[in-house]
């Protein structure tokens, strides 16, 4: 048994001290209904307004009103399927207007990509403008030095 796998690190005081130095890892319990009819409980990473499974590279919108109790599980679970980015709604809690107002994750990703791209281009424009101003100031300074040199030698 190595130093890192010793039982001393499994005590709660050491876990709480260790958690001070790590970022919080938020997860949500989901029930995944797969295409072959197998239901499984999965713990998925929770983002802002969505949950994702990095292994299968899938994401779902997190709609809290669709979470429901499950027998034998403490707390609420979110029923999801492999077909849709919208969680399952077996009780019909979402109205048609709410369902139509949901934006697909592809559109959200595209909007975020465009936003990041515009920020990069604006930053590069700022740096290009700064380089251009610096170059112009060097040229103006060089021209002023040459003009002062001509004036100095002209009066001699």
């Amino acid at each position: 048994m190595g130093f890192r796998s010793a039982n001393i690190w499994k005590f709660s005081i050491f876990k709480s001290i260790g958690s001070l130095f790590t970022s919080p890892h938020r997860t949500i319990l989901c029930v995944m209904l797969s295409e072959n009819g197998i239901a499984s409980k999965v713990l998925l990473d929770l983002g802002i307004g969505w949950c994702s499974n990095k292994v299968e590279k899938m994401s779902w919108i997190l709609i809290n009103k669709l979470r429901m109790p499950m027998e034998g599980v403490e707390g609420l679970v979110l029923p999801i399927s492999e077909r849709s980015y919208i969680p399952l709604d077996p009780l019909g809690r979402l109205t048609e207007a709410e369902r139509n107002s949901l934006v697909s994750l592809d559109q959200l990703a595209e909007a975020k990509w465009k936003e990041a791209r515009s920020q990069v281009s604006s930053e590069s424009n700022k740096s290009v403008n700064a380089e251009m101003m610096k170059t112009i100031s060097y040229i103006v300074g060089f021209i002023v030095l040459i003009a002062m040199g001509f004036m100095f030698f002209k009066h001699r």
Side-chain angles (χ1 to χ4, degrees), residues 31-122:
V31 174
M32 165 82 80
L33 300 175
S34 64
E35 290 294 315
N36 55 9
I38 297 174
S40 58
K41 288 189 307 186
V42 290
L43 203 58
L44 298 179
D45 291 336
L46 184 62
I48 298 174
W50 53 273
C51 52
S52 70
N53 186 352
K54 293 179 183 172
V55 175
E56 297 176 10
K57 296 182 179 176
M58 297 175 69
S59 295
W60 296 267
I61 292 178
L62 176 61
I63 304 173
N64 282 318
K65 73 191 279 185
L66 296 182
R67 294 174 71 189
M68 55 183 46
M70 182 177 166
E71 188 175 326
V73 177
E74 185 178 321
L76 300 175
V77 297
L78 185 68
I80 57 176
S81 73
E82 293 176 337
R83 285 193 181 196
S84 175
Y85 65 94
I86 301 172
L88 298 174
D89 187 15
L91 302 179
R93 293 179 180 167
L94 279 182
T95 64
E96 193 63 34
E98 289 174 329
R99 187 171 291 279
N100 292 337
S101 70
L102 295 175
V103 178
S104 80
L105 293 174
D106 291 334
Q107 290 173 340
L108 290 174
E110 184 178 350
K112 289 290 185 183
W113 181 82
K114 286 180 180 177
E115 179 182 324
R117 186 75 179 150
S118 68
Q119 287 176 351
V120 168
S121 65
S122 69

